[in-house]
Amino acid sequence: MKLKYYVVFSFVFMFIMGLYVYSLESQSYTYNLPFSTAQLTLPVAIWILGIVLVFFIMTLIFFASAWAKEMLEDYHRKNDYDKLLTQINEQALNQPIKDRVYKRKAFGDLSKILQRFYLKPRLDSVESFNRKIDSLFETYKDVMSGKVVDLKKYHLSKDNKFNLQNLKNKIKANYKNGFNLLDEDYPNELQSYAILEILKNGDSKDLNKLVAQLHNLTLDKTLVQELLQVYLKYPNTIETKHLSESFKNVGCEAFEYIQYAKESKGILSPDEWIRFFEECADNDEKAEMALFYVLFELEMIDKAKERHKSHAKGEYTAIDAYLDLKASGKNYPFDIFVLS
């Protein structure tokens, strides 16, 4: 029963009962007030109505306390529910799960159970009609489809995968955004992506700006290969010393140096070609065969022999075999010695 109906019913009931009692007994009753000589004289009907009114007020207090308790229960239930939804969002976004106190044991138990699972959004699922969850799904879909989204409200860490993907989308939309990320403490994965996008799309001015920052960044083989392409396109942009050091730092193998030599054949001038791979070979012995490949391709046999003498006897048997065949008048492409 709604409170207003109860109040209306109670007043109508008291009014009718008062009239009825007064019709039965119209006399008055005198009550001596305790601790006083004063007296209170009222009709009997009024006294009875007073008792009923006290009962009415007490029931209102009871209803009010039950309503307040129910409101408090609803508040705690809603608060626990919101905390659980926030935890689900955290797990879906690969964020650290915060410690929370739940008023309801059932919610606390469910929270601990969920913490034992990795939660991943199902983008093909139907809407839950919960604003917080459905909003997260829409944001997740946008980011995964390549859109740039404002994620500030989620307070994601710099190494959060969801945040990294959004930043990649931002760089993809405009590679120049990558410059802003290179000076900040972001994971190597994102910095490598930014560098790669700048190398692929930047003009000579952008590349000069990037090269100035590369000394403080960690490179991998993919980035070094792109650096080589930039060097071949803009030889004056990157110093050969810096590029050769990058090759060594990422652990390039002998066959990779040879592949780089083949890629640069016909692009660099003979002097640039020799100078570059001499720099590589002097810096990393794994590049030695690539230098011999360059020298033999340019028919610089005497220079190759002179370089070969600087090594211990028998260190490069393939070179010995090639030179012996060359001396006997037999010409074979040096590639077959390199590939063996």
Side-chain angles (χ1 to χ4, degrees), residues 290-308:
L291 175 58
F292 281 118
Y293 171 83
V294 171
L295 295 176
F296 288 137
E297 285 294 312
L298 294 174
E299 294 294 329
M300 301 184 69
I301 307 301
D302 292 337
K303 189 172 181 64
K305 288 180 178 179
E306 182 181 349
R307 181 84 184 188
H308 184 49

Side-chain angles (χ1 to χ4, degrees), residues 19-37:
L19 290 177
Y20 179 70
V21 172
Y22 187 78
S23 67
L24 293 178
E25 180 60 67
S26 60
Q27 293 183 1
S28 298
Y29 173 78
T30 300
Y31 176 70
N32 295 318
L33 297 177
F35 311 106
S36 174
T37 58

Side-chain angles (χ1 to χ4, degrees), residues 249-300:
N249 290 338
V250 299
C252 286
E253 299 296 335
F255 73 90
E256 291 174 310
Y257 279 110
I258 294 169
Q259 183 60 37
Y260 298 153
K262 291 180 178 181
E263 289 179 13
S264 55
K265 180 181 178 181
I267 300 177
L268 297 175
S269 68
D271 289 342
E272 290 174 334
W273 203 24
I274 294 173
R275 186 164 56 252
F276 175 59
F277 281 95
E278 277 184 337
E279 180 78 44
C280 291
D282 290 342
N283 191 49
D284 186 0
E285 61 181 11
K286 292 180 181 179
E288 195 70 24
M289 286 298 285
L291 175 58
F292 281 118
Y293 171 83
V294 171
L295 295 176
F296 288 137
E297 285 294 312
L298 294 174
E299 294 294 329
M300 301 184 69

Side-chain angles (χ1 to χ4, degrees), residues 234-261:
Y234 305 105
N236 297 325
T237 301
I238 303 175
E239 295 181 7
T240 56
K241 181 179 180 181
H242 176 67
L243 189 55
S244 65
E245 288 176 351
S246 299
F247 285 161
K248 183 178 181 180
N249 290 338
V250 299
C252 286
E253 299 296 335
F255 73 90
E256 291 174 310
Y257 279 110
I258 294 169
Q259 183 60 37
Y260 298 153

Side-chain angles (χ1 to χ4, degrees), residues 307-323:
R307 181 84 184 188
H308 184 49
K309 289 178 182 178
S310 65
H311 297 286
K313 188 176 182 180
E315 186 175 355
Y316 290 95
T317 55
I319 305 299
D320 292 330
Y322 181 80
L323 291 174

Side-chain angles (χ1 to χ4, degrees), residues 163-204:
N163 187 41
L164 292 179
Q165 183 59 51
N166 193 52
L167 290 173
K168 286 181 181 180
N169 296 345
K170 188 175 181 180
I171 297 170
K172 190 72 175 178
N174 186 348
Y175 71 90
K176 293 188 178 183
N177 291 323
F179 284 110
N180 299 327
L181 303 176
L182 295 180
D183 293 329
E184 298 186 34
D185 187 24
Y186 280 101
N188 291 336
E189 172 193 352
L190 182 64
Q191 292 194 337
S192 296
Y193 184 86
I195 295 171
L196 197 58
E197 288 298 308
I198 296 171
L199 290 174
K200 288 180 178 179
N201 302 292
D203 56 21
S204 58

